[in-house]
């Protein structure tokens, strides 16, 4: 198994002959992004917007494409339908250098499509349907061992298909048994919910966890209204550390990130950049961070790679737009 010493991975123990560098497990969707919708009607039943675009998205998609762009060998595990959206996702992922052999295609699934409304300040809100539940799809628990990845990234924990405790426990154990580092990026639940304590037996197997500030507040039960001070982020990170997670990285948007591990607690500010669209910024941060891990870098250098990738992402429309 991969060892962590002083919060940093001992990369000598990572399987250098792995079939892929990172196996990203999680959601794959089509994002319909509307930017700058006017509040008033242009005419009856007609609104105008600055831009309306289609992009492939979802946490596992965004992470895997970013990792491919950074020169690594990512694979993705997700469920899609036989519909146009599913075909588009598989085609675009393959074109961008992502191993799609672990995508499960099911006639019974409707590939999720998310409506994202991006405001002028780059903030956004989303509309999701029950298609995101991916009912009937469960990732193969033998997959981590079969792919032999150096890192297994649970790209959207608490969202389907990673919103059932037994499924998550089995996959995390399989990933660690395969010799991989385990990375977890969290989400707010939509239709089903897992509490932190339900995964208490596998949290010590997790090497990195990446909640954003809202997710950290929600899952730890520490109210956001306590104020986003360093002490607030410290308290939230200590809850995760209390479950045995080795490295806690809380993504704080324009405030950068806060990191807590055996070396202590510290803050890395974000890079100044004009925000066009914040969609996928967190996923790109994780991809940049994991790129540093694959290169054997220290945690601070990994975080710096993450913030650079996030800054690049928010300066354009869509989470996985080509350079």
């Amino acid at each position: 198994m991969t060892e962590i010493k002083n919060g940093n991975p001992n990369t000598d123990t990572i399987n250098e002959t792995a079939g892929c560098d990172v196996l990203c497990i999680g959601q794959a969707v089509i994002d319909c992004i509307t930017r700058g919708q006017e509040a008033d009607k242009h005419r009856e039943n007609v609104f105008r917007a600055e831009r309306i675009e289609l992009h492939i998205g979802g946490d596992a998609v965004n992470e895997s494409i970013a990792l491919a762009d950074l020169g690594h060998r990512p694979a993705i595990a997700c469920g899609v339908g036989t519909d146009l959206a599913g075909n588009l996702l598989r085609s675009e992922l393959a074109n961008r250098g992502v191993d799609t052999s672990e995508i499960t295609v099911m006639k019974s699934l409707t590939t999720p499509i998310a409506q994202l409304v991006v405001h002028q300040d780059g903030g956004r809100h989303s509309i999701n349907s029950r298609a995101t539940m991916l009912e009937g799809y469960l990732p193969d628990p033998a997959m981590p061992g079969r792919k032999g990845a150096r890192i297994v990234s649970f790209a959207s924990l608490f969202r389907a298909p990673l919103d059932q405790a037994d499924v998550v426990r089995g996959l995390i154990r399989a990933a660690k048994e395969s010799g991989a580092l385990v990375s977890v990026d969290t989400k707010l639940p939509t239709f089903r919910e897992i509490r932190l304590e339900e995964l208490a037996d596998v949290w010590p197997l997790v090497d990195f966890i990446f909640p954003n500030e809202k997710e950290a507040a929600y899952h730890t039960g520490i109210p956001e209204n306590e104020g986003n001070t360093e002490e607030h982020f410290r308290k939230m990170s200590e809850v995760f550390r209390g479950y045995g997670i080795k490295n806690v990285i809380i993504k704080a948007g324009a405030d950068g990130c806060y990191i807590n591990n055996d070396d202590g607690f510290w803050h890395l500010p974000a890079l100044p950049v004009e925000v066009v669209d914040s969609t996928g910024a967190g996923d790109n941060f994780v991809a940049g961070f994991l790129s540093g891990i694959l290169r054997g870098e220290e945690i601070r250098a990994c975080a710096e790679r993450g913030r650079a990738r996030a800054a690049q992402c928010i300066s354009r429309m869509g989470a996985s737009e080509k350079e």
Side-chain angles (χ1 to χ4, degrees), residues 27-35 51-59 61-62 65 84-86 88-90 92-93 96 111-116 118 276-277 279-280 284 313 315-323:
Q27 291 199 321
V29 307
I30 297 293
D31 288 335
C32 179
I33 304 176
T34 301
R35 176 177 168 82
R51 297 164 71 177
I52 302 175
E53 300 178 0
L54 283 181
H55 295 263
I56 59 173
D59 310 274
V61 169
N62 299 338
I65 285 179
L84 179 62
L88 177 60
L89 276 162
R90 289 188 291 132
E92 285 297 303
L93 283 162
R96 297 291 294 274
T111 305
I113 298 175
Q115 176 68 57
L116 302 179
V118 179
V276 174
D277 175 12
T279 303
N284 276 265
C313 172
S315 65
R316 61 189 185 226
M317 284 281 283
S320 56
E321 186 67 17
K322 291 183 180 180
E323 298 300 327

Side-chain angles (χ1 to χ4, degrees), residues 9-50:
N10 178 0
T11 53
D12 291 340
T13 67
I14 299 178
N15 180 10
E16 296 293 346
T17 62
C20 65
D21 292 321
V22 184
L23 172 62
C24 301
I25 306 174
Q27 291 199 321
V29 307
I30 297 293
D31 288 335
C32 179
I33 304 176
T34 301
R35 176 177 168 82
Q37 178 180 321
E38 296 179 354
D40 298 327
K41 293 180 182 178
H42 171 55
R43 56 175 60 95
E44 187 174 1
N45 297 326
V46 178
F47 290 84
R48 292 191 295 198
E50 179 185 318

Side-chain angles (χ1 to χ4, degrees), residues 202-215:
V202 293
W203 284 130
L205 304 179
V206 172
D207 299 293
F208 308 96
I209 192 167
F210 297 91
N212 66 29
E213 69 272 30
K214 289 186 180 296
E215 294 157 359

Side-chain angles (χ1 to χ4, degrees), residues 55-267:
H55 295 263
I56 59 173
D59 310 274
V61 169
N62 299 338
E63 275 189 29
S64 61
I65 285 179
L67 284 161
D69 288 347
L70 290 166
H72 303 294
R73 302 172 300 157
I76 186 170
C78 60
V80 301
T82 57
D83 48 16
L84 179 62
N87 293 338
L88 177 60
L89 276 162
R90 289 188 291 132
S91 173
E92 285 297 303
L93 283 162
N95 288 340
R96 297 291 294 274
V98 178
D99 177 351
T100 61
S101 61
E102 295 296 342
I103 294 180
T104 299
V105 182
M106 300 173 61
K107 289 183 178 180
S108 60
L109 289 180
T110 298
T111 305
I113 298 175
Q115 176 68 57
L116 302 179
V117 179
V118 179
H119 311 297
Q120 294 292 358
D121 63 359
R124 64 192 174 96
H125 70 269
S126 63
I127 304 171
N128 294 286
S129 73
R130 291 185 66 86
T132 59
M133 291 185 71
L134 301 171
E135 293 179 293
Y137 165 64
L138 292 176
D140 181 358
M143 179 174 44
R146 179 168 63 243
K147 297 305 292 183
R150 298 170 66 186
I151 300 173
V152 175
S153 174
F154 293 81
S156 46
L157 186 67
F158 305 123
R159 294 273 181 93
L162 303 176
D163 59 352
Q164 299 176 69
D166 288 344
V167 172
V168 174
R169 281 196 293 265
L171 286 168
I172 289 178
R173 289 194 185 104
K176 188 54 67 172
E177 288 168 4
S178 74
L181 290 167
V182 175
S183 168
V184 168
D185 196 2
T186 65
K187 299 289 286 184
L188 293 174
T190 49
F191 295 100
R192 287 187 291 251
E193 184 167 356
I194 307 174
R195 298 184 304 277
L196 291 184
E197 54 266 31
E198 293 181 72
L199 301 176
D201 56 328
V202 293
W203 284 130
L205 304 179
V206 172
D207 299 293
F208 308 96
I209 192 167
F210 297 91
N212 66 29
E213 69 272 30
K214 289 186 180 296
E215 294 157 359
Y218 181 88
H219 292 297
T220 63
I222 297 175
E224 287 185 81
N225 60 15
E226 287 194 6
N228 286 342
T229 63
E230 286 206 8
E231 183 58 27
H232 179 65
F233 284 101
R234 183 193 296 272
K235 288 170 63 177
M236 292 190 295
S237 65
E238 286 293 345
V239 173
F240 291 107
R241 288 275 291 159
Y243 280 101
I245 299 172
K246 299 172 183 66
N247 297 274
V248 179
I249 303 95
I250 300 180
K251 300 169 293 185
D255 195 26
C257 67
Y258 293 84
I259 297 178
N260 195 337
N261 60 22
D262 286 346
D263 293 334
F265 173 83
W266 49 277
H267 172 228

